[in-house]
Amino acid sequence: MSDDPGPSLAPKFSLTKSAENYCRLCQLIMTVCSDLFRDILSRHIKPTDLRRELDNNKNTLLRALKIPDHKSLLFPQSGGQSLSAKDMDLTILYALLRNICGIPKHQNGWGNTPKLGDMSLAACIERIREQKNSIASHNNIGEIDDNRFHDAWKKLQNDIVYIESVLIGGDMYDRRLNELLSCDLTPAKAIESAEEFKRLYDKMNEVQTQTKQYNAQKKARINVVVKRQYSIKRKLIGANASKKARICRLEKQQSSSTLDIKVRKNGESPLIIIEEGYLKICKCVK
């Protein structure tokens, strides 16, 4: 009897169409879009000047970058080591393009959705970033339906090809897009791209969660201080009102006493009348 195991009876792994859509978009972001951002960076900052520009803008970039690994990549503790744009992912590249490349902001400003029809370089970069975030929102299920897939692909293609035509020239990125859209996506390659994309998203999500918690705690502390200040203010208002009332009573008493003394001094009997809820002592008319 042969010891050969024979053909496996386990079902062959295959991607669903929705899962394949998600993986293709992940690859598009991690490869084509990231390479495009690297090309844009190299046209604004020479690769030989990158280390110097990073160091010159260290404080700005440390504020812009949220993930600790990104900060340590750009600014290692050992000092100014050589660094290439190839070492950076799309999130870091976006921060550099936005903050140190001198690219004019689009009409709605960096970090905001560009106006419809705005084809400035900043607007195209911004839309690619927004598509990356939108694709990342499907991370938990790892699937994107055909309508959403074609819409996202078309929008990314429009911005990528436009940037290539006005900034780089040629059709290299356009050809890469078409190849990626039509190539056979092997399960191993698909899973690798999706997992790499997921790791980046999870880091961003963790930082955002920590930021929200910090902001919530900060807001709670501010609310406590505001309530305390309001309580002190109310007490001061009450104390001032009581003090004013006491002063008014003392003034009335002093006025009444002064009038009574004058009346008695002249040998006249005082006339007591009530006016608007107050007692008044008046001099009698003989």
Side-chain angles (χ1 to χ4, degrees):
M1 187 174 181
S2 173
D3 292 332
D4 293 339
S8 173
L9 299 178
K12 184 178 180 180
F13 176 80
S14 62
L15 291 172
T16 65
K17 189 63 171 66
S18 296
E20 181 181 324
N21 291 340
Y22 172 73
C23 291
R24 284 189 193 276
L25 286 171
C26 287
Q27 277 199 324
L28 174 57
I29 293 295
M30 303 301 293
T31 58
V32 178
C33 292
S34 296
D35 284 345
L36 177 66
F37 278 20
R38 293 181 184 107
D39 258 347
I40 300 172
L41 177 64
S42 68
R43 278 164 172 72
H44 286 81
I45 299 176
K46 294 179 180 180
T48 54
D49 297 336
L50 181 58
R51 178 74 267 166
R52 184 187 65 197
E53 290 299 322
L54 292 176
D55 292 338
N56 289 343
N57 295 276
K58 182 176 181 178
N59 291 336
T60 298
L61 292 173
L62 287 178
R63 288 193 298 268
L65 295 169
K66 305 302 181 183
I67 298 177
D69 288 350
H70 289 169
K71 297 180 181 181
S72 59
L73 174 66
L74 296 188
F75 305 104
Q77 292 182 353
S78 55
Q81 298 177 353
S82 62
L83 185 68
S84 168
K86 292 181 179 179
D87 301 320
M88 306 173 190
D89 60 36
L90 188 133
T91 301
I92 299 177
L93 293 165
Y94 170 81
L96 300 186
L97 297 179
R98 172 175 173 172
N99 290 283
I100 69 171
C101 286
I103 298 174
K105 62 183 179 181
H106 57 83
Q107 295 176 26
N108 285 345
W110 285 109
N112 302 307
T113 300
K115 288 185 177 180
L116 189 65
D118 186 348
M119 295 304 294
S120 63
L121 178 58
C124 293
I125 293 171
E126 198 77 69
R127 281 190 291 266
I128 293 174
R129 179 192 67 87
E130 289 190 335
Q131 283 298 324
K132 183 262 294 183
N133 291 341
S134 178
I135 295 166
S137 68
H138 294 77
N139 173 55
N140 290 335
I141 58 175
E143 294 183 350
I144 294 179
D145 63 55
D146 282 347
N147 290 335
R148 173 72 185 88
F149 169 77
H150 289 297
D151 179 67
W153 192 278
K154 185 64 176 176
K155 289 177 179 177
L156 284 166
Q157 186 175 34
N158 287 342
D159 286 317
I160 291 169
V161 172
Y162 182 79
I163 292 174
E164 181 176 35
S165 66
V166 300
L167 187 67
I168 302 169
D171 63 349
M172 180 187 69
Y173 285 101
D174 192 20
R175 286 187 285 106
R176 288 182 63 184
L177 281 164
N178 293 328
E179 290 170 1
L180 181 56
L181 181 61
S182 59
C183 72
D184 290 332
L185 196 62
T186 64
K189 187 63 176 177
I191 292 173
E192 180 184 349
S193 296
E195 287 181 346
E196 185 179 357
F197 189 80
K198 182 179 184 300
R199 283 194 294 270
L200 175 62
Y201 172 77
D202 286 346
K203 287 180 181 179
M204 290 296 297
N205 194 42
E206 181 182 353
V207 171
Q208 289 174 355
T209 300
Q210 292 173 351
T211 301
K212 288 180 180 178
Q213 291 175 347
Y214 172 79
N215 289 337
Q217 293 171 354
K218 182 178 179 180
K219 185 177 180 180
R221 291 194 297 269
I222 292 174
N223 287 339
V224 170
V225 173
V226 170
K227 288 180 179 178
R228 188 176 299 162
Q229 290 176 339
Y230 178 78
S231 177
I232 293 172
K233 183 178 179 181
R234 296 297 301 173
K235 289 180 179 178
L236 288 174
I237 292 173
N240 289 336
S242 299
K243 181 179 179 181
K244 185 176 180 180
R246 288 196 301 271
I247 292 173
C248 288
R249 286 197 299 270
L250 289 172
E251 288 177 346
K252 288 186 173 105
Q253 291 174 359
Q254 184 179 9
S255 178
S256 299
S257 300
T258 302
L259 181 59
D260 184 50
I261 292 171
K262 288 182 178 180
V263 169
R264 292 181 183 279
K265 184 177 179 181
N266 296 330
E268 300 170 344
S269 298
L271 176 62
I272 301 176
I273 62 174
I274 298 177
E275 182 179 313
E276 296 181 356
Y278 294 99
L279 290 176
K280 294 183 66 176
I281 303 176
C282 303
K283 183 178 178 180
C284 291
V285 180
K286 293 184 179 181

